[in-house]
Amino acid sequence: MSKISLSKCFVNAEVEEAALRAIRSGQYILASECKAFEAELAAHTGTTQCVLGSSWTMIVYLLHQLQGVGPGDEIIVPSHTAFPTMEPLIHLGARPVFVDIDDTYCLDLDQLEAAITPRTVGIIPVYLYGHPLDVDRVLAIAAKHHLWVIEDCAQAQGAKYKGKTVGSMGHFGAFSFFPSKNLTVLGDGGCITTNNTQMADRLRMLRNHGRQGKYDHEFPGYNVRFDEIKAAIGRVMLKHLDGFNENRRKIAARYTERLKGIVQTPPVREWATPVYHMYVVRCEKRDELQKFLKTKEIDTGIHYPKPNHLQPAVTGLFPYIPKLPRTEQAVKEILSLPIHGEMTLDTADKVCDAIAEFYGKK
Ligand SMILES: *Cc1c(COP(=O)(O)O)cnc(C)c1O
């Protein structure tokens, strides 16, 4: 039996040819492939603007700087997310204010308003594992308190809320192309989507040394640019994204059908079209199950084992440690099962068989 991996990066001849095309073009940074990739990403998301950057973390850092995020500001984030969600704001001197999760692992909107103070400037809802939250509710709360919203879509490329693609509803959407994500460029990368042309223009300048023309620098910027080879690869990947997401939903449906009553399967809200960046179950004897699956050559993961509000990087800076009981409970019980765009139902069945065997339900 061959090893079943947690995720897999798509590569085919078309991807390789795209990379070759970029190599042979003689242009390597922010040229025609990047422009086309930005236009295609904006069109796919349903925004007028998309700005590529070297990673989610760096392009969000630049965005926060343009938003004027600074010391004294509070930004609401879940603790149950990838650590980068809160890194840029911390670097700018702002404070992450953590709110607990609901059963979809997104911000618990019943607790959101109570976390808002006169210092709050924005909210970063994370669509963890590829399931959106109730965006209309977040936007209504944000509007009432004059807050901005950055949708963290790093795990949710192509997911929909009431038929609208994520990254098009908040003031900004933030995406990552890290190789494990649903949409990759076979390297690091990220982007911001928005309908705010003025901010997009300034972000394009800030990522490229504050330039307008080649030697006209309006303000000091950075080098957070994007490469032609990765853009050419990303354009091919984007064409396959919806198909791969559809396959992920098929795999997820099979998991849910077969694992019901054995482990706790992930809930789906009626307004959500999730993209299952991860298929995460909750279970008893999680660590033993993970070890057992390893003996069957089935890879699993824990996303994430240690909540961010308990990370030394956070507790060292912000001595007040909030109580987030659902987050702290979840990290002991969650297990991410293998899933990717090309996975077959047959492989999913093997994973289900092994889990059933572990719990003696075969
Ligand atoms: C991967 C990820 C990020 C960071 O993306 P990078 O491109 O690696 O900087 C941010 N938020 C979430 C939820 C992620 O999964």
Side-chain angles (χ1 to χ4, degrees), residues 204-205 208-218 225:
R204 286 195 182 95
M205 289 170 69
N208 189 15
H209 305 299
R211 347 177 123 89
Q212 271 290 20
K214 196 168 182 188
Y215 298 111
D216 298 309
H217 303 275
E218 293 210 2
R225 295 182 301 225

Side-chain angles (χ1 to χ4, degrees), residues 53-60 80-87 124-129 152-156 174-181 187-191 277 304:
S54 54
S55 66
W56 186 107
T57 306
M58 284 315 299
I59 200 72
V60 170
H80 191 61
T81 178
F83 184 61
T85 300
M86 64 214 64
E87 260 181 318
I124 308 180
V126 181
Y127 307 149
L128 204 70
Y129 311 142
D152 183 343
C153 306
Q155 302 192 2
F175 294 82
S176 168
F177 308 128
F178 182 79
S180 73
K181 313 289 187 191
D188 268 316
C191 73
H277 172 61
Y304 297 86

Side-chain angles (χ1 to χ4, degrees), residues 100 270 283:
D100 216 347
E270 66 281 1
C283 50

Side-chain angles (χ1 to χ4, degrees), residues 300-348:
T300 57
I302 298 167
H303 302 92
Y304 297 86
K306 186 169 188 175
N308 290 310
H309 68 288
L310 302 177
Q311 293 284 359
V314 171
T315 56
L317 283 172
F318 310 104
Y320 168 69
I321 301 173
K323 289 242 174 324
L324 303 173
R326 289 204 205 129
T327 295
E328 286 163 33
Q329 187 63 31
V331 300
K332 296 178 201 156
E333 299 173 356
I334 49 174
L335 189 67
S336 309
L337 304 184
I339 195 161
H340 57 81
E342 300 170 278
M343 191 167 150
T344 63
L345 289 173
D346 192 46
T347 304

